[in-house]
Amino acid sequence: MTTPFRPNRRQFAALTAGAAATAVLPSLHAQTAAWPTKPVRLVLGFAPGGGSDVMARVLSQPMSDLLGQPVIVENRPGASGNIATVDVARAPADGYTLLFAPTTQITTSPHIFKMAIDPAKDLIPIASVGRYPLHLVSRTGLPFKTFQEFLAYGRANPDKMSFASTGSGTVPHLVAEAMLKQAGIRATHVPYKGSGPALQAMLTGEVDFVIDPGVAFPHVRSGKLLLLATAGSKRIPQFPEVPMMKEAGLPKMDFYSWVGVYAPIGTPAAAMARISDVLSKTVNTPAVMEKFAGASAEGIYLNTPDFNSMIQGELQVFPALVKELNIKADT
């Protein structure tokens, strides 16, 4: 979902400062040469197997090659990703502990949960690595095989279906609730600790449907699950016959989950500049782009000012959506 971004005075000053920092990156070359001298951790707030987890693991080896030190992906699931967010914000600000997370950890979680930190103040966005579209996937054996049939069944059977998410307040949860509200359907939400566990719940019949970032595609191809619709702004190349939700009567359904890298406040500018440079060189390689595409993700690098601008735009969208949908920590 895109919303025009008009920065206020404070935001404009922050973006201007970010742009100025970017302009002096060449002068930091000597400082960055000595960093890193030990492994760098990319901390994720969800279980292995989800969309952001796949992206982090695709990036970790080429990042290691460029940095000359191992880049270790560490999963710390729980509390809709907030355990990892708090842990990274409290970590030493030395550039060796970074958060790899959807932007909603910054834009949405503080409006749902009582957090021990303020992500917008305690973390610095370094760069985006891309985004992934979200898709409606259901288990088989239910009396529908298309999105229109799903809508008709849901409207005729309120509260009969249940759906999984990667946690309360995460993008898949918000997208599911937005879809249900626009469609006039009621269903029971069951939160899990990531896309992997949510997918497993689908496969075992614990829930009826899920908003999925693409990790379910192998099971769709094998016939174990049904791909009914996508919530993005275009059809997906892997399944061009699958409609967009907004094609099928839900015009406001245009959502993506953006993923980026963040550092604790106070992290040396030289370390952040090096990470940003490495991400630029890594995300934009054909090999990474191809692997991302295979996982239904798009590699999109945004530098610090542009990434921050995009986050500020999301702040105009997601908190209002949380309020409109009455999302709570236990929903």
Side-chain angles (χ1 to χ4, degrees):
M1 175 182 290
T2 56
T3 297
F5 170 54
R6 299 179 177 86
N8 59 34
R9 187 174 299 173
R10 179 182 62 81
Q11 293 164 345
F12 181 80
L15 295 178
T16 303
T22 301
V24 301
L25 289 184
S27 69
L28 298 174
H29 178 73
Q31 300 176 51
T32 60
W35 186 94
T37 58
K38 62 181 182 179
V40 176
R41 296 163 56 225
L42 289 180
V43 182
L44 283 77
F46 302 96
S52 56
D53 179 74
V54 170
M55 297 173 83
R57 293 181 189 281
V58 167
L59 289 170
S60 61
Q61 187 56 56
M63 287 181 68
S64 298
D65 294 341
L66 289 174
L67 288 171
Q69 292 288 341
V71 174
I72 301 168
V73 178
E74 181 179 326
N75 299 87
R76 303 203 67 182
S80 297
N82 294 320
I83 289 177
T85 301
V86 172
D87 285 351
V88 172
R90 289 175 167 174
D94 53 14
Y96 291 101
T97 303
L98 304 171
L99 180 69
F100 193 96
T103 52
T104 47
Q105 295 301 112
I106 310 298
T107 63
T108 307
S109 289
H111 299 275
I112 299 173
F113 300 93
K114 292 182 179 179
M115 300 183 67
I117 55 109
D118 183 345
K121 294 180 179 179
D122 297 324
L123 292 168
I124 303 172
I126 297 177
S128 82
V129 301
R131 67 181 187 178
Y132 49 85
L134 296 151
H135 321 286
L136 174 62
V137 176
S138 77
R139 65 181 179 87
T140 58
L142 294 168
F144 51 78
K145 292 185 178 180
T146 68
F147 186 51
Q148 292 292 355
E149 291 173 351
F150 166 85
L151 295 176
Y153 177 80
R155 289 163 179 155
N157 296 275
D159 297 315
K160 189 169 183 179
M161 290 192 292
S162 62
F163 69 97
S165 81
T166 54
S168 296
T170 59
V171 177
H173 179 210
L174 293 176
V175 170
E177 296 284 7
M179 176 193 71
L180 293 171
K181 182 172 182 178
Q182 290 182 45
I185 295 172
R186 296 201 310 268
T188 301
H189 174 223
V190 184
Y192 292 86
K193 292 184 178 181
S195 295
L199 176 61
Q200 187 60 33
M202 284 277 296
L203 291 168
T204 57
E206 293 176 31
V207 293
D208 298 314
F209 65 92
V210 67
I211 297 295
D212 174 76
V215 297
F217 283 3
H219 300 290
V220 172
R221 293 189 182 98
S222 70
K224 294 180 181 179
L225 298 173
L226 294 174
L227 176 60
L228 300 176
T230 181
S233 59
K234 57 186 177 182
R235 292 194 179 200
I236 49 177
Q238 297 94 330
F239 299 93
E241 74 283 359
V242 174
M244 296 180 287
M245 292 182 185
K246 63 182 185 179
E247 286 180 300
L250 304 183
K252 295 182 180 180
M253 295 303 297
D254 188 353
F255 291 94
Y256 289 85
S257 183
W258 283 83
V259 179
V261 178
Y262 307 80
I265 192 75
T267 298
M272 292 193 294
R274 184 81 187 278
I275 287 292
S276 181
D277 180 61
V278 165
L279 289 172
S280 172
K281 293 174 180 176
T282 303
V283 171
N284 292 327
T285 62
V288 168
M289 290 285 195
E290 182 179 353
K291 290 178 180 178
F292 274 14
S296 186
E298 299 177 70
I300 304 174
Y301 167 81
L302 296 177
N303 62 21
T304 298
D306 291 341
F307 187 35
N308 189 51
S309 179
M310 192 270 288
I311 289 172
Q312 296 301 325
E314 284 200 350
L315 282 167
Q316 310 304 312
V317 176
F318 283 111
L321 188 62
V322 166
K323 185 176 182 180
E324 176 187 347
L325 298 173
N326 195 30
I327 302 295
K328 305 293 184 184
D330 57 351
T331 56

